[in-house]
Amino acid sequence: MTPDSGRIAAKFAALKQEGRGGLVTYVTAGDPNYEVGREILLGLPAAGADIVEIGMPFTDPMADGPAIQAAGLRALKAGQTMVKTLAMAREFRAAHPDTPLVLMGYYNPIYSYGVDRFLADVKDAGVDGLIVVDLPPEEDAELCIPAVKAGVNFIRLATPTTDDKRLPTVLQNTSGFVYYISILGITGTKEIQADPVRGAVTRIRRHTDLPIVVGFGIKTPQQAGEIAQAADAAVVGSAIVDKVRTNLDAEGAPLPGCAKAVLDYVAALAQGVRG
């Protein structure tokens, strides 16, 4: 068993020391193209992101709503590949040695790439954790256990339908943090409500000492602040990706200032989290 990088645990310890929740930001690798996507990715820590998630583009992202589906298709059309996504991760790690970095996506592209090759390259790129949406605990032998043995955190999703009977199974072999999906349905389609989130976080805390982050449905700095207070961190994905979309021309090419507009929005979310 190889120890993990320690970056995720160190970040949550630092947040606790600061007395605030964190901001986790999601962007799709290579959206709208490699150059602008790279500029956005590398700018996220300075804009206020505490933890960064990179989406691995996939043609059939079943848990994602229209915004992230479109982002994945934009990235793939622009030539994004797993090799390029891992190259972006490597560049991010070189620029930001302390910011936790998580890859999020689906198993098919990883399987196609090769699990052993993928984990070796993920480790080499300095990735701290994986979120693989369509691999349940019953399939841990496929990727979860090899990842944990390699020292890469495997972060599991819990949902409003994950009851107390199911939670121990979901949390087995989970490390880094727990990602609570606040709504029933796909990403970016419903508004998040803080009160149900508080109740859910309290319930999950009875089963684990891991930090709990909450996402799906956060669109405003106020919502990010409320959820970061109710949990250990708030995750914003679809709203950031949609900010990319609104800064494209009619042909889908990025307008001048696209990356800055996205990073300015992230800075506003970070301000909401920091109060």
Side-chain angles (χ1 to χ4, degrees):
M1 188 79 71
T2 303
D4 73 15
S5 66
R7 277 186 284 263
I8 292 176
K11 172 55 69 174
F12 281 106
L15 291 171
K16 190 173 183 180
Q17 191 79 16
E18 292 178 42
R20 67 173 177 90
L23 175 64
V24 182
T25 58
Y26 169 97
V27 292
T28 299
D31 175 38
N33 58 36
Y34 191 93
E35 291 72 23
V36 176
R38 174 183 177 278
E39 184 179 355
I40 294 170
L41 176 68
L42 296 184
L44 289 171
D50 294 298
I51 296 174
V52 171
E53 290 179 10
I54 305 178
M56 297 175 279
F58 180 45
T59 52
D60 188 22
M62 65 185 75
D64 292 306
I68 293 180
Q69 288 181 25
L73 294 177
R74 285 195 299 266
L76 292 169
K77 184 179 178 183
Q80 189 70 13
T81 63
M82 184 68 84
V83 170
K84 289 183 177 180
T85 298
L86 291 167
M88 291 180 84
R90 201 171 288 110
E91 285 190 81
F92 180 90
R93 178 55 63 226
H96 303 290
D98 299 324
T99 303
L101 182 65
V102 175
L103 290 182
M104 183 170 184
Y106 297 83
Y107 186 51
N108 186 294
I110 297 170
Y111 180 81
S112 298
Y113 192 83
V115 169
D116 291 344
R117 177 189 174 204
F118 176 75
L119 288 177
D121 289 350
V122 157
K123 282 285 289 184
D124 181 65
V127 172
D128 303 294
L130 302 173
I131 301 172
V132 182
V133 176
D134 54 350
L135 271 184
E138 288 76 10
E139 305 296 335
D140 273 0
E142 289 283 335
L143 179 63
C144 172
I145 291 173
V148 172
K149 284 183 177 177
V152 179
N153 290 289
F154 201 85
I155 296 151
R156 195 87 70 188
L157 303 168
T159 73
T161 60
T162 310
D163 61 17
D164 286 334
K165 184 178 179 182
R166 177 67 175 168
L167 263 174
T169 302
V170 169
L171 295 172
Q172 188 176 20
N173 297 322
T174 297
S175 59
F177 56 84
V178 180
Y179 187 143
Y180 178 68
I181 296 172
S182 63
I183 60 171
L184 294 173
I186 53 179
T187 57
T189 55
K190 297 179 182 176
E191 292 281 334
I192 196 167
Q193 302 294 325
D195 285 343
V197 165
R198 289 191 190 92
V201 169
T202 299
R203 183 171 67 84
I204 296 171
R205 286 203 200 284
R206 290 200 291 266
H207 295 268
T208 182
D209 293 328
L210 289 171
I212 301 168
V213 311
V214 177
F216 282 42
I218 300 172
K219 297 179 180 177
T220 68
Q222 180 182 347
Q223 290 171 334
E226 290 173 354
I227 298 306
Q229 289 179 4
D232 294 294
V235 188
V236 185
S238 293
I240 294 174
V241 167
D242 205 45
K243 190 62 69 175
V244 175
R245 180 190 62 80
T246 58
N247 282 276
L248 303 177
D249 67 18
E251 281 71 44
L255 295 167
C258 175
K260 183 179 184 305
V262 174
L263 294 172
D264 285 349
Y265 174 63
V266 171
L269 293 169
Q271 186 60 44
V273 166
R274 287 163 173 77

